[in-house]
Amino acid sequence: EVQLQASGGGLVQPGGSLRLSCAASGFTIDDAVIGWFRQAPGKEREGVSFLRNQNRGIVNADSVKGRFTASRDNAKNTVYLQMNALRPEDTAVYFCAVTKRRLITSSLWQIASYDYWGQGTEVTVSS
C-alpha cells in the first residue's frame, strides 16, 4: 500500500518559514515527479511547486517564485516543500502528490496527472 505521510504545517507569522515533508512508503520517490498543491478555504486546489523526474528541474507557480521550492531526499524517501517569506495568502492545506509518469509541463498542474496523494497539512500565516 502506498502512503504519503505529510507533516510540518502549523501557524507562522508573515515573513516566516516552514518546511513541509511528505514521507513515502510503498513507493520509491527517486524517479518520481513530485507535485505540491494547496487548497485555501472556498477555493480550488492549485499547483504550487513541482520537482520533475530525470533531473528536469523545478517548476514553481508565479505566486511562489523565489519563495518556495520542492526537493527530495531519496535516502529518506521523503519529499519537501521549503516555504520562505510566507504571506497570509499562502494560508491553505498543502498536499504532496507523486507519479512515476513523465509529464509535460502543462500536465504538472493537473490533479489527474498524479497517482498518489498525501493527506494534507494545514498552514496558517497570520500575525
Side-chain angles (χ1 to χ4, degrees):
E1 180 186 6
V2 176
Q3 288 190 335
L4 295 171
Q5 183 64 45
S7 61
L11 173 64
V12 62
Q13 292 187 340
S17 298
L18 283 175
R19 189 177 76 159
L20 307 183
S21 301
C22 253
S25 58
F27 182 93
T28 54
I29 64 159
D30 55 349
D31 62 347
V33 174
I34 311 300
W36 283 97
F37 292 76
R38 66 185 181 188
Q39 189 164 16
K43 295 188 176 181
E44 293 187 351
R45 194 169 298 190
E46 63 176 1
V48 175
S49 185
F50 306 96
L51 182 59
R52 304 178 74 164
N53 53 9
Q54 301 173 350
N55 294 316
R56 293 187 296 143
I58 297 171
V59 176
N60 288 321
D62 288 343
S63 59
V64 304
K65 276 182 182 175
R67 301 189 299 124
F68 291 13
T69 193
S71 64
R72 75 178 88 217
D73 185 331
N74 292 336
K76 296 182 178 179
N77 212 35
T78 300
V79 301
Y80 302 99
L81 181 67
Q82 179 66 44
M83 307 187 296
N84 300 324
L86 283 160
R87 305 168 180 169
E89 54 264 38
D90 296 319
T91 295
V93 177
Y94 284 73
F95 300 87
C96 62
V98 297
T99 182
K100 294 282 192 177
R101 288 178 278 177
R102 182 183 173 97
L103 301 178
I104 60 175
T105 301
S106 60
S107 295
L108 292 171
W109 306 91
Q110 297 173 9
I111 292 172
S113 295
Y114 296 86
D115 299 311
Y116 304 105
W117 288 79
Q119 84 280 13
T121 184
E122 189 168 3
V123 173
T124 302
V125 185
S126 175
S127 55

